[in-house]
Amino acid sequence: MSRPQLGHLTLVARDPQALQDFTDQLWLRLRREAEEAYGRAPQLAALFLESITNQPSFEIAVMHRVASRLKNDVIPLPLILQAFHRAMLADAGIAEAIRADITAVYERDPACERFLEPFLYFKGFHAIEAHRLTHWLWGNGERDFALYLQSRTSEVFQTDIHPAARFGRGIFLDHATGLVVGETAVVEDDVSLLQAVTLGGTGKEAGDRHPKIARGVMIGAGAKILGNIRIGENARVAAGSVVLRPVPPHATVAGVPARVVRTQTPDHPAQTMDQVLSDLSYETFDYVI
């Protein structure tokens, strides 16, 4: 059965009124899903009420949910919420990115039937929103706070994303466990990354040393992309691959080391999430990139 769609956020992101209408629809939808979930699981009433029903807006609800998972004796809930509020007031793009991220999860993950699921439960969604906070803190001189939250995020969500790493909008971290992203990595809009992906360096070199992932790329589970190399727009990296050289746009690469196995990958692999190379024969593994 097909799921109802709110529409692609990228179509409205540049229109303030359309963006507000989208946010209103999303918030109403999420509140309705919470009410329905309460009817099925009243034992979780406190979770639904505290996280959604008693919150005044979608953005504040997201802040509260992520902060609730990160809080501990060192950084209590109010301290994290205050930091989130400061970040969102200073940078309206954070709230826009959060909307795009939750939409990406809903549209790309076949296991996601409601917006409620990533909002409440999916650590990949929580991890990328926590990173958006640490990235803002890092860029505004609060580096120790950013590093502590990075450490806490690694502990809670099993992801390790350096606060300086740059992410676009519409990011889908599927499962997310074991994700490692280095300091100078850049991930552009509409990228999907599965579990155990590494965007790392090649040794002890300093400076700009981590991968640059272009728009629309899909990176399969366990793939390792090492060094200051670019993965071109709408490229696809197969699960378990080790990529050491740049990947052309629209290419599919696979293997250790990775080889080009297809030069005309269909558009938007990050959205279709097609991870199977069954249409390719062994003979296509013909040259190293």
Side-chain angles (χ1 to χ4, degrees), residues 135 184 227:
H135 182 73
T184 61

Side-chain angles (χ1 to χ4, degrees), residues 138 143 162-166 181-185 199 207 209-210:
W138 182 269
R143 294 198 169 189
H162 193 283
R166 290 182 285 156
V181 180
E183 178 183 10
T184 61
L199 305 181
R209 60 196 183 279
H210 296 109

Side-chain angles (χ1 to χ4, degrees), residues 59-163:
E59 293 84 359
I60 292 176
V62 171
M63 291 187 232
H64 190 277
R65 179 57 184 151
V66 175
S68 294
R69 297 197 68 183
L70 292 177
K71 66 180 177 66
N72 60 12
D73 293 338
V74 175
I75 45 169
L77 179 64
L79 185 61
I80 305 174
L81 285 175
Q82 182 187 63
F84 257 124
H85 279 287
R86 289 191 289 116
M88 287 198 182
L89 284 173
D91 184 358
I94 294 175
E96 294 177 9
I98 291 172
R99 300 179 195 114
D101 294 339
I102 199 169
T103 303
V105 179
Y106 179 78
E107 292 183 344
R108 300 177 206 170
D109 187 348
C112 179
E113 298 181 350
R114 303 169 294 172
F115 282 92
L116 187 74
E117 290 157 8
F119 181 91
L120 286 179
Y121 311 124
F122 288 7
K123 66 179 183 291
F125 175 67
H126 297 158
I128 190 62
E129 307 327 324
H131 171 71
R132 297 194 186 284
L133 172 59
T134 64
H135 182 73
W136 184 85
L137 291 168
W138 182 269
N140 285 272
E142 300 183 52
R143 294 198 169 189
D144 285 303
F145 194 7
L147 289 169
Y148 186 86
L149 283 175
Q150 176 204 4
S151 175
R152 180 66 179 153
T153 299
S154 178
E155 178 184 353
V156 174
F157 303 137
Q158 298 89 53
T159 62
D160 194 350
I161 307 173
H162 193 283

Side-chain angles (χ1 to χ4, degrees), residues 23-53:
T23 305
D24 292 344
Q25 291 180 56
L26 175 58
W27 183 227
L28 289 171
R29 170 81 170 272
L30 191 58
R31 292 175 66 86
R32 184 171 66 250
E33 290 178 353
E35 292 173 3
E36 293 169 352
Y38 170 76
R40 292 189 297 269
Q43 66 271 32
L44 296 178
L47 174 64
F48 303 136
L49 291 171
E50 181 180 345
S51 301
I52 299 173
T53 307

